[in-house]
């Protein structure tokens, strides 16, 4: 930490808790990357949670002359969210939003994820205009600061054009809210010189007709290269101009605190089609025709793009190796507010395409599963390249726009450049209606020759797009460091001087994200390149995009999957290459940090893989590392597995003793005793909590194969997990029956005869051993269970039901299942509900969807929601909670993880709510503890609401 940053840090310590001023080298390293191929490790990371704190940060930055960079989600693709100075993170404290005028407007703080905004607007049939591919991860601050767009957004619906007002903190710490007249008037008085300078700048631009014409031409295209100087010709009031200059400024002019959007319609009637044309020219002519059609999106995919996804499930049969290399395809979507209008639009589109030669097609389909399969082609292009890249390389996705009338030639010349520079895997796709093309290729930066090849390629791309075609070098990904050397080439010296003057007016001392957008270093785009060393086959495909981060339960406690991978890559590199004393010291420090941050606090829930473009499950790395660290503890695990009946008896005895003690001394005393004990032992003893379950009764879990008499009645094998066999309801739960009794009663209400496997108390799916890092023991226990279920199911004749979703997932991972293993909610939703008479309750019910159910094949999430919707019309699924973080027994051994993951829960529980439901017994312990209501299996709710049909 240099002297200015050190002084800045000391000033902040008087106002910020130390937990929000990060100086630890390991954590700083993990903040050194965004989704681009650059790395700059910050000297200090500040977690800011309010406007006042940002104002303080800017004030102190000015005093100490310290550069500051703002960051929301860090999904930036051009290197605009990294710094070697002070990085200010604005997400956790910036999550509020407000709906207005029936959803026609929405005010969103900087930390709101784009998809969260659309979820809030969906009931009103509205959405925000920008629709970037990263919308499930990126946040409003970044969307506005980069003027992000997307597949359906086009030019008209980006932030610049749909913004109603904006709330800004200027470089000097002044707050301006353009939605409040009193704020505007105050700003006019305090910043008269700035507004006059903007007015003068506007007059200067407008006096140059050639420059005005260039600006209008450039912004008919998608364009995020440089500043949004179209504001100088689009608006009269300097305040309006200032507000729109902030859009796309990438944190170089000020801090965007919130944006109020004019929302756009979100049509529910949709249809998509896929057309393959014989060549690029035919395809691009079709795009020109479709630009006048009632289409919401037209995505172009070149022949390499189509061939990259060959073999993926659900593809049209004609996407195969026989597809000619000259072909080019369009994926077309049309939307309407009612079905009849949609039919007319489809007819109009067909009429426009009737004169074009189409080699293959999938005609318009309105069936969701079918058009989603078509869009899976488009979404699979980026990961397809990432999945085949060599170790040590990164995936680069560039983003240009051509005038629509030059699209054909643009595609062909880009393909020629790929050939010239030996990017044989490169493919092109993009938002064809705007002439916006993405091209994806793999690149190594490990040698000077490779860096030189990349630079020469980009020089040629810049000449082709910006000079020869008058297009945009950055259509929607932002300028960043990546295109900073080419801004003057694209815009010309006059416009470039205007941009430099804007920067000086807003940020006189060049302290806001310096080096981004405007940079005098011609080699900034090939400097500070991100190392991508091989670390492990499980994670080497990671491109550090950050899409995984919102799903991670430890994101606010320690690390996210992206950060775990960044740290593990550095550890692996140091193990392999570190030779100096300094290297060894650094390695020891990082390994120590990783033990807690990377392994102990990882829930290994696998949710990261659901959002990862290349399907990486960072939890698998965690499990592998746990297995490597198992050591002598594996002998204890082996003994427990071999004596599983006795182990369970001991567990139940402990729960009985715990319940008796609780009854004698009370919950508060129990909690206090165990907290003190945990503190004294250095967190080595587990935490006891007030939702601790009682021991479950085993009376109904007897081998009953011989009692199955009716050969005509349907039969099911019911396997209660070890968690539900041992853990009954909590002491304070209003439901007190063992889960196994309730499940059997439900199945019998539906007319099923229930078979319980023999020697049940010795059976386990192996999941507890797998999660602890004992895969061999897990396989052994899984094999024992498989044999027992084969016998119970009459060699697969009867379906098997598991009452715990994590147990179901573990069984389905086992090899050689000759029988169907149903999760309880899956079987109930498809085979039980229809056989019951259901009397719904009038109470709200909280619903937690466990990570194991989210990752389970078979649409378990919708199955659970379906069951609850039959039981109550007031189903509540809390926001901002993914995995609960209990993770088997980590709720007891690492309670911080469970507490952090469920921090948003309690405030979302309505006052008149007494019940929550889920599908994992251990999850329900933590949920009950942190919500203040009783969580139990959804089976209890359904049983309470049903009678026999």
């Amino acid at each position: 930490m240099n002297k200015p940053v050190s002084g800045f840090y000391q000033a902040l310590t008087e106002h910020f808790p130390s937990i929000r001023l990060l100086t630890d080298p390991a954590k700083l390293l993990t903040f050194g990357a965004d989704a681009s191929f650059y790395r700059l490790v910050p000297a200090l990371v500040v977690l800011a949670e309010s406007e006042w704190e940002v104002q303080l940060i800017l004030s102190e930055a000015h005093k100490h002359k310290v550069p500051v960079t703002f960051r929301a989600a860090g999904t930036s693709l051009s290197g605009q969210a990294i710094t070697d100075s002070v990085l200010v993170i604005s997400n956790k404290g910036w999550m509020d939003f407000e709906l207005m005028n029936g959803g026609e407007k929405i005010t969103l703080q900087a930390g709101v994820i784009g998809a969260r905004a659309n979820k809030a607007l969906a009931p009103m049939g509205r959405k925000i205009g920008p629709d970037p591919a990263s919308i499930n991860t990126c946040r409003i601050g970044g969307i506005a600061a980069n003027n992000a767009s997307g597949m359906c957004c086009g030019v008209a619906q980006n932030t610049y054009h749909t913004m109603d007002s904006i709330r800004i903190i200027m470089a000097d710490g002044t707050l301006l809210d353009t939605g409040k007249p009193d704020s505007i008037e105050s700003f006019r008085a305090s910043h008269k010189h700035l507004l006059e300078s903007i007015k003068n700048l506007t007059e200067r631009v407008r006096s140059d007709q050639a420059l005005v014409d260039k600006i209008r031409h450039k912004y008919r295209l998608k364009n995020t290269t440089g500043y949004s100087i179209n504001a100088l010709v689009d608006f009269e009031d300097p305040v309006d101009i200032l507000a729109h200059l902030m859009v796309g400024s990438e944190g170089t002019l000020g801090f965007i605190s919130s944006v109020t959007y004019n929302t756009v319609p979100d049509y529910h009637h949709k249809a998509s089609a896929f057309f393959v044309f014989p060549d690029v020219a035919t395809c691009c002519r079709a795009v020109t025709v479709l630009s006048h059609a009632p289409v919401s999106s037209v995505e172009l995919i070149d022949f390499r793009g189509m061939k990259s996804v060959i073999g993926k499930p659900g593809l049209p049969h004609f996407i195969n190796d026989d597809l000619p290399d000259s072909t080019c395809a369009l994926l077309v979507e049309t939307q309407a507010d009612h079905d009849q209008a949609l039919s007319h639009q489809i007819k109009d589109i067909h009429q426009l395409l009737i004169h074009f030669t189409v080699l293959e097609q999938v005609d318009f389909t309105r069936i969701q599963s079918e058009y989603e399969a078509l869009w899976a082609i488009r979404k699979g292009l980026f990961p397809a390249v990432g999945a085949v890249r060599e170790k040590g390389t990164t995936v680069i996705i560039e983003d240009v726009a051509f005038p629509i009338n030059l699209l054909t030639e643009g595609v062909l010349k880009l393909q020629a450049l790929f050939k010239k520079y030996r990017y044989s895997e490169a493919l092109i796709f993009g938002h064809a209606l705007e002439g916006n093309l993405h091209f994806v290729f793999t690149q190594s930066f490990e040698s000077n020759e490779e860096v030189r090849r990349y630079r020469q390629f980009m020089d040629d791309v810049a000449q082709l797009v910006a000079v020869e075609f008058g297009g945009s070098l950055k259509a929607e990904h932002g300028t960043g460091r990546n295109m900073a050397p080419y801004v003057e080439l694209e815009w010309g010296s006059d416009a470039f001087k205007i941009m430099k003057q804007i920067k000086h007016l807003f940020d006189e001392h060049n302290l806001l994200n310096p080096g981004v957008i405007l940079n005098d270093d011609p080699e900034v785009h090939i400097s500070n390149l991100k190392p991508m060393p091989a670390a492990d086959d499980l994670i080497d495909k990671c491109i550090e995009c950050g899409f995984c981060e919102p799903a991670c339960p430890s994101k606010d406690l320690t690390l996210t999957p992206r950060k775990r991978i960044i740290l593990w890559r550095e550890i692996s590199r140091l193990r392999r290459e570190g030779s100096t004393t300094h290297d060894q010291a650094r390695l020891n420090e990082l390994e120590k940090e990783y033990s807690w941050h990377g392994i102990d606090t990882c829930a290994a829930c696998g949710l990261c893989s659901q959002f990862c473009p290349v399907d990486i499950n960072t939890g698998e790395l965690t499990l592998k590392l746990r297995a490597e660290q198992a050591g002598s503890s594996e002998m204890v695990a082996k003994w427990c597995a071999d004596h599983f009946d006795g182990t369970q008896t001991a567990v139940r005895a402990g729960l009985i003793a715990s319940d008796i003690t609780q009854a004698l001394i009370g919950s508060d005393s129990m909690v206090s005793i165990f907290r003190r004990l945990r503190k004294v032992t250095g967190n080595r003893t587990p935490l006891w909590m007030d939702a601790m379950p009682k021991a479950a009764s085993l009376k109904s879990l007897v081998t009953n194969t011989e009692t199955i008499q009716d050969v005509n009645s349907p039969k099911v094998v019911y396997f209660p997990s070890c968690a539900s066999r041992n853990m009954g309801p909590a002491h304070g739960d209003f439901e007190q029956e063992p889960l196994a009794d309730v499940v059997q009663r439900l199945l019998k209400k539906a007319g099923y005869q229930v078979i319980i496997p023999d020697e049940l108390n010795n059976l386990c799916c192996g999941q507890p051993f797998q999660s602890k890092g004992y895969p061999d023991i897990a396989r052994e226990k899984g094999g024992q269970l498989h044999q027992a279920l084969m016998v119970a199911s009459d060699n697969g004749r009867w379906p098997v039901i598991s009452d715990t979703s994590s147990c179901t997932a573990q069984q389905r991972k086992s090899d050689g299942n000759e029988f169907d293993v149903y999760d309880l909610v899956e079987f109930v939703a498809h085979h039980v509900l229809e056989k019951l008479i259901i009397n719904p309750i009038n109470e709200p019910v909280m619903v937690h969807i466990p990570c194991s159910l989210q990752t389970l094949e078979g649409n378990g999430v919708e199955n659970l929601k379906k069951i609850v919707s039959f039981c109550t019309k007031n189903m509540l699924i809390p926001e901002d909670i993914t995995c609960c973080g209990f993770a088997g027994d980590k709720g007891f051994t690492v309670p911080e993880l469970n507490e952090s993951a469920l921090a948003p829960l309690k405030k979302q529980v309505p006052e008149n709510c007494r019940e929550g439901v889920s599908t994992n017994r251990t999850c329900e312990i933590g949920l009950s503890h942190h919500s203040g209501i009783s969580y139990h299996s959804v089976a209890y709710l359904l049983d309470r609401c049903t009678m026999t049909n």
Side-chain angles (χ1 to χ4, degrees):
M1 191 183 293
N2 59 37
K3 188 174 181 180
V5 175
S6 178
F8 173 83
Y9 168 74
Q10 291 299 325
L12 291 194
T13 58
E14 298 180 14
H15 305 280
F16 281 77
S18 60
I19 197 171
R20 292 201 279 118
L21 297 174
L22 309 183
T23 59
D24 174 78
K27 286 190 176 179
L28 293 178
L29 176 66
T30 67
F31 281 100
D34 56 10
S36 71
F37 48 92
Y38 303 101
R39 171 168 293 169
L40 285 170
V41 179
L44 171 67
V45 173
V46 183
L47 307 180
E49 295 187 357
S50 70
E51 290 179 336
W52 177 84
E53 289 181 350
V54 172
Q55 289 176 300
L56 174 66
I57 289 166
L58 291 175
S59 174
E60 294 298 334
H62 178 74
K63 288 179 187 177
H64 296 274
K65 297 297 182 284
V66 171
V68 170
T69 295
F70 300 110
R71 176 168 171 173
T75 57
S76 310
L77 288 162
S78 301
Q80 58 266 63
I82 54 175
T83 180
D84 57 2
S85 183
V86 174
L87 185 66
V88 178
I89 308 297
S90 56
N91 53 37
K92 189 178 178 182
W94 306 81
M95 304 290 284
D96 288 343
F97 63 89
E98 181 184 359
L99 294 164
M100 294 165 283
N101 301 343
E104 290 186 1
K105 295 182 189 292
I106 186 170
T107 297
L108 300 161
Q109 283 194 318
V112 178
I113 293 175
R116 175 69 184 92
N118 284 343
K119 185 176 180 181
L121 288 164
M124 287 151 260
R126 310 290 294 180
K127 64 179 181 177
I128 60 172
D131 62 339
S134 58
I135 196 166
N136 290 322
T137 305
C138 65
R139 299 172 186 271
I140 294 302
I143 289 174
N146 291 283
N147 200 22
S149 47
M151 287 183 285
C152 298
C153 172
V155 175
Q157 293 185 352
N158 58 25
T159 299
Y160 182 93
H161 288 292
T162 60
M163 179 176 71
D164 178 79
S165 63
I166 189 169
R167 196 169 169 92
I168 310 160
I169 299 176
M170 305 295 291
D172 63 2
T174 303
L175 176 65
L176 168 63
D177 187 338
T178 65
K180 293 185 176 179
D182 57 340
S183 177
I184 293 174
E185 290 309 308
S186 175
F187 189 82
R188 289 190 197 279
S190 64
H191 287 69
K192 183 178 179 180
H193 175 71
L194 172 62
L195 295 178
E196 286 180 349
S197 297
I198 291 173
K199 184 178 180 181
N200 293 336
L201 200 60
T202 301
E203 292 172 354
R204 176 178 152 196
V205 168
R206 293 183 182 186
S207 67
D208 185 341
Q209 190 57 47
L211 181 55
V212 170
D213 292 343
K214 174 177 273 194
I215 291 171
R216 295 204 183 282
H217 163 73
K218 299 288 285 183
Y219 286 102
R220 277 192 286 268
L221 307 174
K222 276 190 178 181
N223 185 6
T224 59
T225 306
Y227 289 116
S228 301
I229 58 174
N230 49 333
L232 301 174
V233 297
D234 289 344
F235 298 95
E236 299 295 331
D237 189 329
V239 172
D240 289 333
I241 295 170
L242 182 153
H244 287 83
L245 283 170
M246 289 296 298
V247 176
S249 63
E250 301 174 28
T252 64
L253 303 182
F255 174 77
I256 297 174
S257 172
S258 69
V259 181
T260 298
Y261 283 93
N262 295 306
T263 62
V264 300
D266 182 18
Y267 297 118
H268 295 296
H269 295 273
K270 303 175 183 179
S272 294
F274 192 84
F275 303 100
V276 179
F277 299 91
D279 51 55
V280 170
T282 305
C283 186
C284 292
R285 285 200 307 272
V287 171
T288 303
V289 170
L290 289 173
S291 66
H292 305 291
V295 292
S296 58
S297 182
V298 177
E299 292 289 301
L300 180 147
I301 304 172
D302 75 349
F303 75 92
R304 284 195 185 97
M306 286 185 280
K307 289 194 171 184
S308 72
V309 294
I310 289 174
K312 300 293 183 183
L315 291 182
H317 67 88
F318 52 78
I319 297 183
N320 55 49
D321 289 322
D322 296 328
L323 204 64
D325 288 355
S326 61
T327 56
C328 194
L330 295 178
L331 175 57
V332 181
E333 180 173 278
T334 182
Q335 303 177 2
D337 57 0
H338 57 85
D339 199 58
Q340 186 177 6
L342 188 65
S343 297
H344 285 306
Q345 290 174 194
I346 292 171
K347 183 179 178 180
D348 291 343
I349 296 168
H350 277 142
Q351 283 296 115
L352 290 170
L353 293 178
I354 198 169
H355 300 297
F356 288 87
T357 300
V358 176
L359 296 183
E360 301 282 357
Q361 73 177 66
V362 176
D363 203 0
F364 281 100
T365 175
R366 311 173 197 221
I367 300 172
Q368 184 175 354
S369 60
E370 293 180 0
Y371 66 66
E372 285 181 350
L374 294 178
W375 281 95
I377 301 172
R378 161 65 174 82
K379 294 175 182 177
L381 298 176
F382 183 66
V385 175
V388 298
R389 81 180 195 271
E390 295 180 4
K391 288 185 179 180
T393 66
T394 189
V395 178
I396 296 177
I397 178 169
E398 285 297 352
D399 162 51
V400 300
F402 294 102
I404 192 72
N405 61 311
L406 301 175
L407 188 60
T408 301
E409 194 175 354
V411 173
L412 293 174
K413 289 203 171 186
L414 277 177
Q415 290 176 337
L417 285 179
F418 298 156
K419 185 175 181 179
K420 176 181 177 180
Y421 288 99
R422 308 182 311 283
Y423 291 114
S424 58
E425 78 293 345
L427 55 88
I428 297 173
F429 61 91
H431 319 317
L433 288 178
E434 289 80 36
N436 177 198
L437 299 179
H438 302 309
F439 52 96
V440 181
F441 59 100
T442 63
Q443 177 71 51
S444 168
F445 292 115
E446 293 186 350
S447 69
N448 291 333
E449 181 183 351
E450 282 295 303
V451 174
R452 185 164 52 251
R453 176 172 72 130
Y454 171 74
R455 177 176 185 164
Q456 291 172 348
F457 172 66
M458 291 308 301
D459 284 348
D460 279 4
V461 168
Q463 283 292 331
L464 172 69
V465 176
V467 179
E468 184 177 347
F469 285 89
S472 306
L473 285 170
K474 282 296 182 181
E476 56 181 2
H477 291 170
T479 308
R481 288 172 166 77
N482 186 212
M483 284 299 162
Y486 302 108
V487 173
E488 186 171 8
L489 176 73
E490 175 172 331
W491 276 101
S493 59
D494 289 344
F496 188 65
K497 289 175 183 176
I498 295 293
M499 293 182 185
K500 295 190 82 168
Q501 189 169 349
I502 289 169
K503 172 65 173 173
H504 182 75
L505 285 174
F506 280 73
D507 180 23
E508 180 182 359
H509 301 288
N510 194 29
L511 297 178
L512 299 183
N513 212 1
V516 167
I517 298 184
L518 305 179
N519 197 311
D520 293 329
D521 181 359
E523 296 191 345
V524 64
H525 64 313
I526 53 171
S527 303
N528 301 301
L529 298 169
K530 182 190 294 182
M532 298 291 280
D536 192 286
D537 288 342
L538 292 171
I539 60 170
D540 283 340
K541 299 300 181 186
C542 175
I543 56 174
E544 300 178 8
C545 65
F547 283 18
C548 57
E549 294 191 321
C552 183
S554 63
K555 62 181 180 294
D556 295 325
L557 177 65
T558 51
L559 300 178
T560 64
R562 169 166 65 174
K563 292 173 182 174
R564 286 188 172 89
I565 290 173
I566 291 171
L567 204 52
W568 190 249
R569 279 176 165 160
E570 180 66 3
I571 289 171
S572 301
R573 185 192 69 79
L574 287 171
R575 285 179 175 178
R576 186 171 54 249
E577 302 173 7
S579 56
T580 67
T581 303
H582 177 269
D583 286 343
Q584 192 58 50
R586 179 170 169 77
L587 174 61
N588 293 338
E589 181 182 17
L590 293 183
E591 286 179 332
K592 182 180 178 182
E593 290 283 338
Y594 199 84
S595 180
W596 166 254
H597 291 88
I599 299 175
D600 292 348
T601 59
C602 177
C605 60
L607 288 182
C608 46
S609 65
Q610 303 293 296
F611 296 86
C612 175
V614 289
D615 302 320
I616 293 171
N617 182 347
T618 313
E620 291 180 354
L621 174 66
T622 299
L623 295 178
K624 180 179 178 179
L625 296 178
R626 286 176 185 166
E628 292 174 358
Q629 295 178 358
S632 59
S633 63
E634 188 165 5
M635 296 176 60
V636 177
K638 177 67 171 144
W639 188 93
C640 291
D642 292 342
H643 303 83
F644 202 68
D645 192 340
T647 300
Q648 289 195 99
T649 300
V651 169
R652 283 194 294 274
L655 290 173
I656 290 170
S658 170
D659 190 52
I660 292 172
T661 306
Q662 178 188 5
L664 290 173
I665 68 173
S667 294
D668 290 345
S669 295
M670 286 283 282
V671 169
S672 178
I673 289 170
F674 273 82
R675 280 182 177 167
R676 285 200 298 270
L677 183 61
R678 183 169 168 79
K679 185 176 181 179
V680 168
T681 60
N683 294 336
R684 291 183 178 87
T685 55
L687 182 71
W688 189 94
M689 54 185 66
D690 52 8
M692 188 70 73
K694 298 190 296 185
S697 168
L698 301 181
K699 290 180 181 178
S700 68
L701 297 179
V702 295
T703 303
N704 59 0
T705 308
E706 296 177 358
T707 66
I708 305 298
Q709 302 292 335
D710 187 351
V711 295
N712 295 317
S713 296
K715 302 174 181 61
V716 294
V717 176
Y718 170 40
F719 173 62
S721 71
C722 47
S724 57
R725 294 199 304 268
N726 292 318
M727 297 179 178
H731 189 82
D733 195 341
F734 61 86
E735 294 281 10
Q736 286 295 305
E737 281 187 277
L739 175 60
D741 293 1
V742 176
V743 171
Q744 289 181 81
R745 185 164 62 241
L746 262 179
L747 293 171
K748 289 173 183 177
K749 285 180 183 180
Y752 290 97
Q753 296 186 63
V754 181
I755 302 171
I756 304 293
D758 292 331
E759 300 184 12
L760 179 65
N761 217 36
N762 198 41
L763 298 179
C764 174
C765 68
Q767 196 273 337
F769 299 98
Q770 181 74 28
S771 66
K772 290 292 184 183
Y774 310 118
D776 294 338
I777 299 174
R779 279 191 291 272
E780 181 181 338
K781 293 305 293 182
Q784 293 172 5
L785 175 60
H786 180 264
Q787 292 302 316
L789 294 178
M790 279 293 291
V791 173
S793 67
D794 192 14
N795 292 316
R797 184 180 179 189
W798 313 119
V800 175
I801 299 173
S802 168
D803 63 9
T804 301
S805 54
S806 58
C807 182
T808 310
Q810 182 69 21
Q811 290 181 70
R812 288 186 178 175
K813 291 176 185 175
S814 302
D815 296 329
N817 272 348
E818 295 89 355
F819 47 82
D820 293 323
V821 178
Y822 288 88
D823 191 68
L824 178 62
V825 297
E826 180 181 26
F827 191 82
V828 168
H830 293 287
H831 302 288
V832 173
L833 280 180
E834 61 189 21
K835 299 176 182 178
L836 301 173
I837 297 174
I838 301 176
N839 297 313
I841 61 175
N842 293 320
E843 302 172 21
V845 175
M846 301 292 290
V847 177
H848 176 72
I849 304 171
C851 52
S852 51
L853 195 62
Q854 295 180 55
T855 56
L856 194 67
E857 292 182 3
N859 212 3
V861 173
E862 294 306 316
N863 290 329
L864 177 57
K865 289 161 68 175
K866 178 180 178 181
I867 294 169
V868 178
S869 68
F870 271 73
C871 298
T872 179
K873 299 302 180 185
N874 195 354
M875 172 173 60
L876 302 171
I877 301 177
E879 298 291 343
D880 304 318
I881 294 174
T882 53
C883 166
C884 71
F886 209 92
D889 66 350
K890 283 194 176 296
F892 302 126
T893 60
V894 189
E896 300 92 338
L897 176 59
N898 184 226
E899 180 180 4
S900 179
L902 294 180
L905 177 59
K906 191 165 187 176
K907 64 182 180 182
Q908 298 185 60
V909 179
E911 290 185 6
N912 60 336
C913 181
R914 65 167 185 159
E915 178 177 23
V917 298
S918 190
T919 65
N920 269 352
R921 184 65 194 95
T922 51
C923 296
E924 292 151 13
I925 299 171
L927 289 160
S928 299
H929 176 69
H930 290 290
S931 68
I933 62 172
S934 295
Y935 272 81
H936 38 238
S937 170
V938 69
Y940 289 97
L941 174 65
L942 182 60
D943 178 63
R944 206 164 65 243
C945 294
T946 58
M947 301 182 295
T948 305
N949 195 344

